[in-house]
Each structure stands twice: as structure tokens, then as C-alpha cells.
Amino acid sequence: MSTQLLKWAYEELADAGVASPQADAEALLAHALAVDRAEVRRLAVLGREVPDDAAHAFAGLVARRVAREPLQHLTGVAAFRHLELAVGPGVFVPRPETEEVAQVAIDEAAKVIADREGAGAVVVDLCTGSGAIALAVATEVPGARVHAVELDKDAHAWAERNVDALSAAAGVEAGATPEDQDPPERIVRLVKGDARTALYGIDGMADVVVSNPPYVPPDAVPVDPEVAEHDPAVALYGLGPDGLEVPRGITSAAARLLRPGGLYVMEHAEVQAEAARAMVAAARDDDGRPVFGEPETRKDLTGRPRMVVARRL
Ligand SMILES: C[S@@+](CC[C@H](N)C(=O)[O-])C[C@H]1O[C@@H](n2cnc3c(N)ncnc32)[C@H](O)[C@@H]1O
């Protein structure tokens, strides 16, 4: 019965140290049954049987989760704001705290568009991974023209898949695909390359540059197997003794891409708040002048300092 299966899975997952055994058990049974979690709970309340093939698939999924494969790799989907993004081996699984970084970019882009009475805003997501931030902005802010850059071949392929899927969905909703016309443009312009040097065509034109770059310092190796063994190293480690070598390059790129008054927002680790502010304050143009106004640290919903925000001078 579904209740007994869920109870068994809960105990297996809890024993393995999985942080949210109940939610994961429900999500995996939902995946095995090809239904949503609300339906799983309904079936459990009604005491319904689980068909043998689904029960077998569920047992296999639970065994992989016990071995600490990320839940999102098993279901193939990561929730990010209102989106469901395809993820799997080779791409960083987007995190809830990054939803708040995206919110800053979304609020700023929406404000710019409102101030311009509807004329578009240019938003750049550097180090896009699965495309999470870029696609959140593109789908939540009508009129935003979103560019995204990803270096890693595998991550770029996941981003492309997500951009294609959500672009097709947007085109279908808009009824914009008559047979005699080109397909609608993709909702994010995705570029494969190094975010520190890519996108030269739009220098000084961006209204918002947002980034969740790799920033983990070399002495802060993650302990959770889901992260240590499954998030790609290129997505985690920011290089240099402080983990901020890549973020420094991203900050220079942001300075080049932003128009005067444009907003830069970058996620960092809790312990990097002061260093991230110093990094932004130290950014200089070719003439040695500061490029950003006073950087500010913002907290996530749990009160931890997790992003630096500054305006281009
Ligand atoms: C922490 S992950 C964040 C991914 C995504 N922004 C998110 O929040 O889910 C950092 C991403 O930056 C990519 N990356 C690392 N160095 C890069 C570089 N120099 N240029 C562009 N992308 C880079 C990694 O491959 C990875 O996808």
C-alpha cells in the first residue's frame, strides 16, 4: 500500500541522513507514478495500492537517494521560483537562496521598464548554469531582453534545453507560430563562453547584471554528498585563496556591461560579505576610477548575508 511504501522510504532516507525524508519520499513516489505530490498524498490517505512496476521503480529511486544522489537528478527537475527546470549530471542544481538574488534582478528590470513606460530593459545573467536566473527574469518581466553566459559545455547544454522548452511554451501561449513564419525568438539569448570576457557587443547597455558565480573557497569543501559528488567543481569553486578570483572577473565584466546607474547583484557565501563588498568597491575602470557606488550586502530570508548589490557609477 502507498502508506506502507512511503513509511519504508521515509525510514530508509532518514537513516541515510537525507535532510527532508518525507518530502523526498513523496517526490520519488510521485515520479515513479508520474503524478504530482498532492496526488501521492491523496492516494496515501485513501490507502490505495501502488502498481508493481511503479513500486519497483520507486524502490530503485529510493536506493539511489539513500546513496545521496540529488533528488533533482532522480526526478530530472528542479523547482526555481515558478519554473520547473530540467537538470541532471553536469549542471548545478539551482538553490532556493538564489531565488532571492533573482528577485532583486526582477524588481530592478520591472522598475526600469515601468520608468521607461514600457520600453525594454537589458538583463545579463553571468554563469547561468541551468539558465535559472535568466529564465526567471525572462518569464516574469515582460519586455526584458535577457542574455545569459555559461562556460561549461554540459551546463550550457542543460541551459539550452531549458531555454528551448520555455521559449516554445511562450510561443505557443502567444499563438506566435504560424507555419509560414520563422519560429519565435528564444526568450533568452544564450552564449557559450567565459562570462569574464563574453558579450562584447552590449558594452554599457545592460540595465541589470546578475550572477550566481562559483565562489566556494578552496578550504571550504562541501560536506553533503549531493553537493561534493554531484555539483560540478567548475560550478562550486571560485578559485584563488578566497574563492573570489572568478567573481572578481565577473565583477569587471559587470562594470563593462552596465550602463551608468545600472544595477549589479552577485550571490556569495555567508562568510564572504565583507570580502565581496571590498571586491566591488575595488573595481576600477581603465583610468583607475571606481566603477561602482557604495556596495551593499543583502540578507536572504533566513537572515544570512548572501549577496552584494551595487550601482554602476
Ligand atoms: C554556482 S553555479 C550557478 C548556476 C546558476 N546561476 C544557478 O544559480 O543555478 C555557477 C555556474 O557558473 C559556471 N561558470 C564557472 N566559471 C564560469 C566562467 N568563467 N564563465 C561562465 N560560466 C562559468 C559553472 O559552470 C556553473 O554553471
Side-chain angles (χ1 to χ4, degrees):
M1 253 180 18
S2 46
T3 37
Q4 284 160 339
L5 265 185
L6 283 170
K7 184 167 177 296
W8 164 79
Y10 171 86
E11 287 168 1
E12 290 281 309
L13 296 172
D15 285 351
V18 169
S20 48
Q22 181 75 33
D24 284 25
E26 288 176 4
L28 291 175
L29 186 54
H31 185 62
L33 288 166
V35 298
D36 62 20
R37 273 179 63 194
E39 178 66 4
V40 163
R41 286 193 287 265
R42 197 182 74 85
L43 295 173
V45 168
L46 296 175
R48 291 282 159 80
E49 295 292 331
V50 174
D52 283 350
D53 56 344
H56 184 71
F58 179 56
L61 290 166
V62 171
R64 289 171 63 188
R65 189 72 188 99
V66 163
R68 305 293 294 270
E69 273 189 57
L71 175 69
Q72 297 86 347
H73 284 199
L74 299 177
T75 61
V77 173
F80 188 78
R81 296 180 66 90
H82 65 295
L83 299 174
E84 290 208 323
L85 299 166
V87 294
V91 72
F92 182 85
V93 174
R95 307 292 206 268
E97 55 268 33
T98 308
E99 296 180 329
E100 298 171 49
V101 176
Q103 184 71 59
V104 174
I106 285 165
D107 289 347
E108 178 70 9
K111 182 176 180 307
V112 167
I113 291 169
D115 288 349
R116 290 180 186 154
E117 298 181 350
V122 175
V123 179
V124 177
D125 174 15
L126 299 176
C127 302
T128 197
S130 61
I133 300 174
L135 286 163
V137 176
T139 53
E140 292 186 51
V141 187
R145 294 193 298 278
V146 185
H147 304 253
V149 186
E150 172 57 47
L151 176 70
D152 182 72
K153 176 172 67 65
D154 294 333
H156 179 269
W158 284 104
E160 195 159 48
R161 178 170 161 182
N162 286 314
V163 170
D164 283 349
L166 288 162
S167 298
V172 169
E173 274 167 26
T177 48
E179 277 180 16
D180 58 344
Q181 288 182 19
D182 289 337
E185 276 191 27
R186 302 199 306 172
I187 57 175
V188 169
R189 178 185 164 227
L190 180 65
V191 173
K192 185 170 176 304
D194 190 326
R196 293 169 287 190
T197 50
L199 288 184
Y200 264 97
I202 57 166
D203 283 6
M205 291 168 63
D207 297 294
V208 185
V209 173
V210 55
S211 184
N212 174 20
Y215 51 69
V216 177
D219 58 353
V221 177
V223 288
D224 288 337
E226 289 89 344
V227 182
E229 293 169 21
H230 296 280
D231 278 326
V234 66
L236 297 177
Y237 298 106
L239 308 181
D242 56 0
L244 291 174
E245 185 180 310
V246 176
R248 267 187 205 94
I250 298 299
T251 302
S252 298
R256 169 172 57 77
L257 292 163
L258 283 165
R259 63 161 169 82
L263 194 76
Y264 177 44
V265 51
M266 192 205 87
E267 181 173 319
H268 56 67
E270 199 175 338
V271 294
Q272 290 170 326
E274 197 179 330
R277 283 198 307 276
M279 170 189 78
V280 172
R284 292 287 182 273
D285 65 14
D286 290 343
D287 300 321
R289 290 182 302 235
V291 283
F292 289 106
E294 186 71 23
E296 175 199 340
T297 298
R298 295 211 193 150
K299 294 181 175 167
D300 68 11
L301 289 177
T302 64
R304 297 176 305 157
R306 291 303 305 274
M307 63 181 116
V308 62
V309 179
R311 279 203 188 273
R312 178 74 163 95
L313 292 171

